[in-house]
Amino acid sequence: MSETTINIDIHKIMKLLPHRYPMLMVDRVIGLEPHKNIKVIKNVTINEPYFTGHYPQRPVMPGVLIVEALAQAAALLTFSDEPVHDENTLYYFVGIEKVRFKRPVEPGDQLVLDVDFISGKLGFFKFKGVATVDGKMAAEAEFVCMVKKNGE
């Protein structure tokens, strides 16, 4: 099965993820191969609240938020078979490795987040993500996330 070009908009994303402004870091799913790969876009605008302090003279998206955007894309991949987010399900980072930042991401950029599923076992999932702008790598990382029911 190959990647399917699809268009999951912000309304569907908000049904799958618990994140809300200012922490929702993904805008649209443009490609999905369930349990294998997802391609998501994040439109970076000057209205993002972190730009007032990072940095006023030359706004740059913080690298940790690029990695957060990759993790949210991974969550959408994990939850792609679910019609809505189960409010009792939480999705946590548990490990981040091999992180590299290659170029700054600035207002007006469209960040393309490409995340591959590597492995999963007992509620832990490993991914490799690459963030690009105009086809050029901005960041890459491998990370592990955990799905947990609230109260467990």
Side-chain angles (χ1 to χ4, degrees):
M1 179 187 241
S2 63
E3 180 179 309
T4 304
T5 301
I6 60 165
N7 196 342
I8 297 175
D9 66 15
I10 193 66
H11 305 290
K12 173 73 174 178
I13 289 170
M14 290 175 67
K15 288 179 180 176
L16 294 171
L17 296 180
H19 304 79
R20 296 295 178 264
Y21 178 85
M23 286 307 298
L24 184 59
M25 298 282 153
V26 294
D27 292 322
R28 184 175 298 275
V29 176
I30 57 173
L32 173 66
E33 186 177 354
H35 313 289
K36 294 188 190 242
N37 176 274
I38 193 165
K39 188 173 284 192
V40 177
I41 58 172
K42 160 70 176 147
N43 294 306
V44 182
T45 71
I46 192 63
N47 298 327
E48 308 282 351
Y50 48 81
F51 284 137
T52 58
H54 199 265
Y55 303 95
Q57 70 279 12
R58 177 78 188 249
V60 175
M61 184 176 185
V64 296
L65 294 181
I66 296 170
V67 176
E68 171 66 21
L70 288 167
Q72 289 182 22
L76 288 170
L77 178 57
T78 302
F79 299 143
S80 62
D81 292 335
E82 298 180 18
V84 294
H85 172 69
D86 175 355
E87 292 183 13
N88 292 317
T89 302
L90 299 174
Y91 195 77
Y92 295 108
F93 263 132
V94 293
I96 305 168
E97 54 189 35
K98 299 181 184 175
V99 180
R100 299 286 181 265
F101 300 102
K102 304 289 187 175
R103 71 174 297 273
V105 176
E106 302 175 314
D109 286 344
Q110 186 175 71
L111 200 56
V112 178
L113 309 162
D114 197 357
V115 177
D116 293 317
F117 173 79
I118 297 174
S119 63
K121 186 175 182 182
L122 301 172
F124 291 85
F125 303 93
K126 186 170 185 176
F127 302 93
K128 177 176 172 63
V130 176
T132 60
V133 174
D134 296 328
K136 296 182 181 122
M137 185 183 298
E140 65 180 339
E142 289 184 10
F143 49 95
V144 178
C145 297
M146 176 182 76
V147 176
K148 186 174 181 180
K149 291 288 183 188
N150 211 1
E152 286 183 351

